[in-house]
């Protein structure tokens, strides 16, 4: 048997070659995890959770919460989210003061920066731009600082592709039902989360959202 976790291209190749040779193949490929932020949730707790879930490990986690859908009045929290992210310290991974370390390869950095640029060109608003950041003592480091892209829509490349870096996409919806529809329309369904204080809303979300983990 073969078990793989990684990108789409490698996963497809391994699955094809493995099954042709009679192997059982488990291939876990790209991810785009969605959070739905309801206006009745505890704002400060939510913002702190989003910072950790999106930017921890420089976003290089299969379960990083890279896409967040703000419902109704929760959209007013995005400037405060930006302020918290702006305060994160980018630095060398062994430095205890660092909140966000480097990306794993130069190619990862290039992919992040390419998708950030594509978002700007396709009409999104980059409200916090982590490109071009410099870290003392690491002139050749693969650093991208925390980045937040607002007003993202489903047809944008940054939404259709897995970024796998410290980049948070912010989308907007008028209702939980619209947020669920957005989440379910994305081909990647690793995980999904809802932030709410309503038990009824949480149960409805769990029953209707299509994701591997909720």
């Amino acid at each position: 048997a073969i078990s793989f976790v990684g990108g789409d291209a490698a996963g497809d190749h391994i699955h094809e070659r493995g099954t042709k040779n009679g192997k059982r193949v488990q291939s876990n490929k790209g991810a785009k995890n969605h959070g739905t932020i309801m206006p009745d949730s505890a704002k400060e707790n939510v913002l702190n959770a989003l910072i950790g879930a999106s930017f921890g490990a420089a976003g290089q986690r299969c379960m990083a919460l890279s896409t967040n859908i703000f419902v109704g009045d929760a959209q007013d929290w995005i400037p405060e989210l930006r302020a918290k992210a702006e305060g994160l310290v980018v630095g060398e991974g062994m430095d205890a003061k660092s909140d966000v370390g480097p990306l794993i390869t130069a190619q990862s950095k290039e992919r992040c920066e390419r998708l950030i640029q594509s978002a700007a060109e396709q009409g999104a608003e980059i409200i916090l731009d982590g490109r071009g950041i410099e870290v003392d003592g690491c002139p050749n480091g693969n650093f991208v600082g925390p980045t937040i892209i607002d007003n993202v829509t489903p047809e944008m490349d940054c939404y259709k592709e897995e970024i796998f870096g410290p980049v948070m996409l912010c989308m907007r919806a008028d209702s939980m039902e619209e947020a669920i529809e957005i989440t379910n329309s994305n081909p990647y369904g690793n995980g999904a989360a809802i932030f709410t204080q309503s038990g009824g809303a949480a149960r409805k979300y769990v029953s209707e959202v299509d994701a591997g983990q909720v």
Side-chain angles (χ1 to χ4, degrees), residues 92-142:
E92 185 261 320
M94 297 300 291
D95 187 343
K97 297 178 182 177
S98 298
D99 296 311
V100 179
L103 296 177
I104 193 169
T105 64
Q107 290 78 14
S108 295
K109 178 182 178 181
E110 291 167 4
R111 180 185 63 249
C112 279
E113 293 183 339
R114 171 179 60 82
L115 289 169
I116 294 169
Q117 182 60 33
S118 74
E121 294 172 355
Q122 293 170 2
E125 181 182 1
I126 302 173
I127 61 173
L128 182 61
D129 192 343
R131 293 174 294 177
I133 194 164
E134 296 182 0
V135 174
D136 290 342
C138 302
N140 299 313
N142 301 317

Side-chain angles (χ1 to χ4, degrees), residues 52 86 88 95 97 117 122 145-146 148 155 159 198 205:
E86 194 172 25
L88 296 175
D95 187 343
K97 297 178 182 177
Q117 182 60 33
Q122 293 170 2
I148 299 179
E155 71 276 4
Y159 181 71
S198 167
Y205 185 87

Side-chain angles (χ1 to χ4, degrees), residues 44-61 63-66 68 81 84-85 88 99-100 146 148 165-168 195:
E44 192 66 20
N45 291 341
V46 170
L47 297 181
N48 289 333
L50 294 181
I51 292 294
S54 297
F55 300 123
Q60 298 172 112
R61 300 184 295 199
M63 295 308 300
L65 197 56
S66 58
N68 293 293
L81 180 67
K84 286 181 177 291
L88 296 175
D99 296 311
V100 179
I148 299 179
V167 181
M168 182 195 299
F195 295 86

Side-chain angles (χ1 to χ4, degrees), residues 32-38 46-55 63-71 74-75 77-78 81 147-153 158-159 166-173 179-180 182-183 191-195 205:
K32 185 71 76 172
N33 306 302
H34 292 71
T36 292
I37 293 84
M38 300 298 293
V46 170
L47 297 181
N48 289 333
L50 294 181
I51 292 294
S54 297
F55 300 123
M63 295 308 300
L65 197 56
S66 58
T67 303
N68 293 293
I69 306 170
F70 292 81
V71 177
Q75 296 167 19
W77 304 351
I78 293 175
L81 180 67
T147 298
I148 299 179
I149 305 175
D150 194 12
N151 291 304
V152 172
T153 54
C158 65
Y159 181 71
V167 181
M168 182 195 299
L169 308 183
C170 294
M171 307 179 77
R172 297 168 182 248
I180 292 173
I182 292 170
T183 302
I194 186 170
F195 295 86
Y205 185 87

